Amino acid sequence: MSAHGNIIVITIITMLLCGLADSETYTVGDNGRWEFGVGDWPNGKSFNSGDVLVFNYDPSVHNVVIVSQENYDSGTASGTTLNSGHDSVTLSSETSYYICGVNAHCQGGMKMAVTAS
């Protein structure tokens, strides 16, 4: 590979690493827990694509379901279900919707929408 080619590869790697370094990790909930009333938690925060949300909760009581906007609005727990009690989700540049799929927890306020740029 030529010196010019090496410079291009190094530049691309540096750009990728800088992008990763800019990502933030957020623990969901003002007290660090995914629970009832968490819907306002994203307010005032600026999320970016690549940021990570960490959901901490008791898996015997709650879960996290990644849903469509339609299922978010209706409280339908149809989507990717996470249930470890300590789940990490990497944001993409769009709005992501999360609900608790246990019983009527979503209707009780255990849901959240996060928009990343």
Side-chain angles (χ1 to χ4, degrees), residues 34-39 61-62 104-106 108-110:
W34 168 242
E35 61 189 6
F36 291 101
V38 75
V61 180
H62 301 298
H105 290 188
C106 176
M110 203 163 166

Side-chain angles (χ1 to χ4, degrees), residues 25-103:
T25 299
Y26 295 90
T27 302
V28 173
D30 290 324
N31 62 357
R33 304 290 295 173
W34 168 242
E35 61 189 6
F36 291 101
V38 75
D40 290 335
W41 174 80
N43 295 349
K45 295 174 181 63
S46 296
F47 299 99
N48 295 302
S49 177
D51 286 349
V52 176
L53 300 180
V54 177
F55 292 83
N56 293 314
Y57 56 93
D58 179 348
S60 69
V61 180
H62 301 298
N63 65 14
V64 178
V65 185
I66 304 169
V67 296
S68 66
Q69 182 178 2
E70 180 182 345
N71 288 343
Y72 176 84
D73 292 340
S74 68
T76 303
S78 178
T80 302
T81 301
L82 309 173
N83 55 17
S84 75
H86 184 79
D87 303 310
S88 296
V89 177
T90 302
L91 296 173
S92 58
S93 58
E94 57 188 27
T95 301
S96 301
Y97 300 93
Y98 308 94
I99 68 171
C100 179
V102 176
N103 299 322

Side-chain angles (χ1 to χ4, degrees), residues 13 15 19 29 101-102 109 114:
I13 291 172
M15 289 171 57
V102 176
V114 175

Side-chain angles (χ1 to χ4, degrees), residues 7-23:
I7 291 172
I8 292 173
V9 170
I10 290 170
T11 301
I12 291 171
I13 291 172
T14 301
M15 289 171 57
L16 290 172
L17 290 175
C18 287
L20 292 175
D22 288 343
S23 66

